[in-house]
Amino acid sequence: MDTVTHEQVLAAIREVRSGYTVSLAAPVNTRTAPDDAEPAEHRLTAPAAGVQEERGLQFARDRIAMNVHGDVNSHIDALCHVIYDGTLHRGVPATEALSPDAAIEQSIELARDGIVGRGVLLDIARLHDVSWLEPGTHVSLEDLAAAEVRQGVHVDRGDILLVRVGHRRRRDELGPWDVADARAGLHPTAVRFLADRQVAVLGSDGNNDAAPSVSRDVAFPVHVLAIHAAGVHLLDYLQLEDLARLCAGEGRWSFLCVIAPLRFTGATGSPVNPLAIL
């Protein structure tokens, strides 16, 4: 990962002009759907059903359980998430880095201090004048470059790059579908754009990888190239509709972005609620 420097953080803070904040996370899904066979579970653990004291102190408490790397809920991938040819990023043997119970190396703990930097939204659906890219569509390197020109923004070293394909809007308007069979995402050759610009983080309102994959025997080539090869954290299944509207309204597509994963030692990723501050 290209580390965001102190100087880049200070420069990103200067992106704040209007003071608006917007969440980049989708509401946590708790209902079974074609793209979420094991949704998150949320239940109150107290007070007990029907037991409401008329006087005195009580606490309402709850419990949440979820699969981090699902196809609906917003999350960040740790570098240990991708194992390719038996190794993690930088050739670390998976047998040494992963125990049966936890990740020993390259866990989400690497991002314990958060990732703060200049965020840039490239709206590829807007580039093509559609509400969303249809499932199966691949975003090319040329698409990313053309979106820069049309939006009047340039992705620089250390930026947090967010790519909108309209996945979330399509799901909201047409309903969920089996994204394992078809979803919009980046073409693997578009990862050259990330390498050329030396971005720190890549995020999307989809999985970042398109389906079906164009790579033989590799279902998630963008994950392999970004995480395993380049050491870039990925943000999957964000909610970018509110941000896209706000950016379009202000006529600018860069902002301060704050990403704060849970401090869960040994985890391969984390639920996340990134914030954009304009």
Side-chain angles (χ1 to χ4, degrees):
M1 178 181 70
D2 193 70
T3 304
V4 183
T5 66
H6 299 305
E7 292 77 14
Q8 288 168 333
V9 172
L10 290 173
I13 291 172
R14 292 193 287 272
E15 292 284 336
V16 180
R17 303 170 198 170
S18 63
Y20 288 108
T21 64
V22 59
S23 168
L24 309 182
V28 175
N29 180 60
T30 58
R31 296 184 178 182
T32 302
D35 54 356
D36 200 0
E38 296 180 311
E41 299 176 15
H42 175 226
R43 63 183 177 86
L44 292 183
T45 58
V51 180
Q52 298 287 343
E53 300 294 339
E54 293 185 2
R55 303 185 64 179
L57 174 66
Q58 281 188 294
F59 289 106
R61 300 192 301 270
D62 48 8
R63 183 180 186 278
I64 297 173
M66 65 186 300
N67 291 321
V68 173
H69 302 285
D71 288 324
V72 179
N73 295 320
S74 306
H75 62 272
I76 182 171
D77 293 336
L79 299 187
C80 64
H81 176 51
V82 173
I83 306 166
Y84 188 71
D85 285 345
T87 66
L88 305 186
H89 176 55
R90 291 182 177 171
V92 176
T95 52
E96 298 177 8
L98 301 171
S99 77
D101 300 315
I104 302 169
E105 295 189 39
Q106 301 185 16
S107 78
I108 199 61
E109 181 71 7
L110 290 177
R112 61 185 175 274
D113 296 320
I115 304 172
V116 179
R118 176 179 181 256
V120 176
L121 175 64
L122 294 184
D123 194 336
I124 307 304
R126 179 185 176 91
L127 173 70
H128 293 287
D129 297 316
V130 295
S131 297
W132 56 73
L133 302 183
E134 288 297 334
T137 304
H138 287 78
V139 175
S140 67
L141 185 154
E142 291 76 18
D143 285 328
L144 299 176
E148 279 189 310
V149 173
R150 179 166 177 176
Q151 296 174 206
V153 69
H154 189 271
V155 178
D156 292 318
R157 180 177 182 178
D159 282 349
I160 297 167
L161 173 60
L162 306 177
V163 179
R164 178 181 174 268
V165 298
H167 178 103
R168 186 69 59 177
R169 181 171 177 181
R170 187 183 194 278
R171 188 182 192 274
D172 288 344
E173 293 190 12
L174 301 184
W177 71 97
D178 186 353
V179 299
D181 288 338
R183 61 180 181 270
L186 270 64
H187 192 280
T189 56
V191 177
R192 294 174 186 166
F193 184 93
L194 313 181
D196 291 343
R197 304 303 177 84
Q198 295 182 285
V199 302
V201 178
L202 170 66
S204 175
D205 50 351
N207 175 264
N208 286 293
D209 266 293
S213 172
V214 297
S215 301
R216 180 182 298 177
D217 300 327
V218 181
F220 298 88
V222 172
H223 275 66
V224 173
L225 292 170
I227 296 177
H228 188 278
V232 172
H233 287 286
L234 295 188
L235 296 163
D236 293 334
Y237 295 107
L238 299 176
Q239 195 281 104
L240 300 177
E241 297 306 307
D242 296 338
L243 177 62
R245 283 191 292 270
L246 189 56
C247 286
E250 295 210 353
R252 61 190 180 100
W253 301 87
S254 61
F255 40 85
L256 174 65
C257 189
V258 179
I259 305 166
L262 297 176
R263 290 199 64 175
F264 207 132
T265 303
T268 66
S270 169
V272 71
N273 179 23
L275 300 177
I277 304 99
L278 284 81

